[in-house]
Amino acid sequence: MSVALEGYPALVLNANFRPLSYFPLSLWSWQDAIKAVFMARVNVVDEYDHAVRSPSLEMRLPSVIALKDYIPPARRPAFTRFNVFLRDHFSCQYCGEAFPSENLTFDHVIPRSRGGTTLWHNVVTACAPCNLCKGNRLPRETGMYPRSTPRRPTAWELQENGRAFPPGHLHESWRDFLYWDAELQEG
Ligand SMILES: [Zn+2]
């Protein structure tokens, strides 16, 4: 899903100039970005110094593109492991520690064996030791309660949570679009 910066990815903005997604950051390969430019689906907002050439054409690679047609965010975010972790800020809902996603698990607050459902309001992010410690018991049997009451997040909440996870590599031309309102607040 991640595109190496060396590959000249383009940051993809929605028609309102906000990234389509913060985390993972919406990036397209330069090939896809150029295809979209030729199909007139996007406007080029900024460019790399690097250019590609064909016998008839030289074109600088787009570093930031904006969709011409606005894509409304999904009204109901998909119930996926990733989105549960993102809702919970990639932190264990029992001990409060943040972990990389490979060290996180999916915990049923009310265990499935006790009738718990696999839905937003019954599933939280937990580290493996906390998950093991809680086992098939109810919160009141262990005294382990999730730090925030699990519920279905809005697409906007997930988007905002994702902004807390800046990618390792940022091209200079992307910064204005990723953090622009934060900078406005500081000023
Ligand atoms: Zn934990």
Side-chain angles (χ1 to χ4, degrees):
M1 195 173 289
S2 67
V3 185
L5 188 63
E6 298 78 358
Y8 300 102
L11 173 66
V12 186
L13 306 176
N14 209 335
N16 63 357
F17 280 64
R18 307 302 298 269
L20 264 190
S21 159
Y22 283 96
F23 187 66
L25 191 59
S26 42
L27 299 177
W28 286 357
S29 68
W30 67 265
Q31 292 93 334
D32 287 345
I34 284 187
K35 220 174 286 172
V37 170
F38 281 106
M39 289 168 73
R41 288 176 50 213
V42 297
N43 288 314
V44 176
V45 180
D46 210 337
E47 297 172 329
Y48 288 104
D49 291 330
H50 189 82
V52 284
R53 285 171 196 86
S54 75
S56 57
L57 180 87
E58 174 171 321
M59 186 181 177
R60 285 170 74 188
L61 296 176
S63 62
V64 182
I65 53 179
L67 300 180
K68 290 186 178 177
D69 294 322
Y70 180 72
I71 297 183
R75 218 168 281 169
R76 293 157 69 92
F79 180 65
T80 61
R81 268 173 90 81
F82 183 86
N83 281 345
V84 169
F85 293 166
L86 188 55
R87 178 197 66 184
D88 296 340
H89 305 271
F90 287 80
S91 60
C92 172
Q93 287 300 291
Y94 298 111
C95 66
E97 292 289 316
F99 294 93
S101 56
E102 58 268 26
N103 296 342
L104 289 170
T105 64
F106 214 57
D107 179 64
H108 288 75
V109 179
I110 298 174
R112 269 177 299 182
S113 61
R114 312 283 287 268
T117 51
T118 305
L119 291 169
W120 283 111
H121 64 265
N122 191 49
V123 168
V124 296
T125 304
C127 70
C130 286
N131 200 334
L132 199 65
C133 178
K134 181 165 170 291
N136 280 326
R137 291 177 296 170
L138 298 170
R140 65 178 157 78
E141 294 169 343
T142 54
M144 295 171 72
Y145 292 90
R147 297 196 163 210
S148 17
T149 306
R151 58 181 180 80
R152 178 199 300 279
T154 64
W156 186 84
E157 284 168 336
L158 290 186
Q159 180 88 320
E160 284 303 300
N161 288 357
R163 298 183 56 181
F165 298 92
H169 296 285
L170 282 178
H171 187 254
E172 207 175 296
S173 67
W174 300 350
R175 294 182 184 270
D176 287 342
F177 302 97
L178 294 175
Y179 303 113
W180 65 299
D181 47 354
E183 282 162 16
L184 281 182
Q185 281 162 16
E186 283 167 20

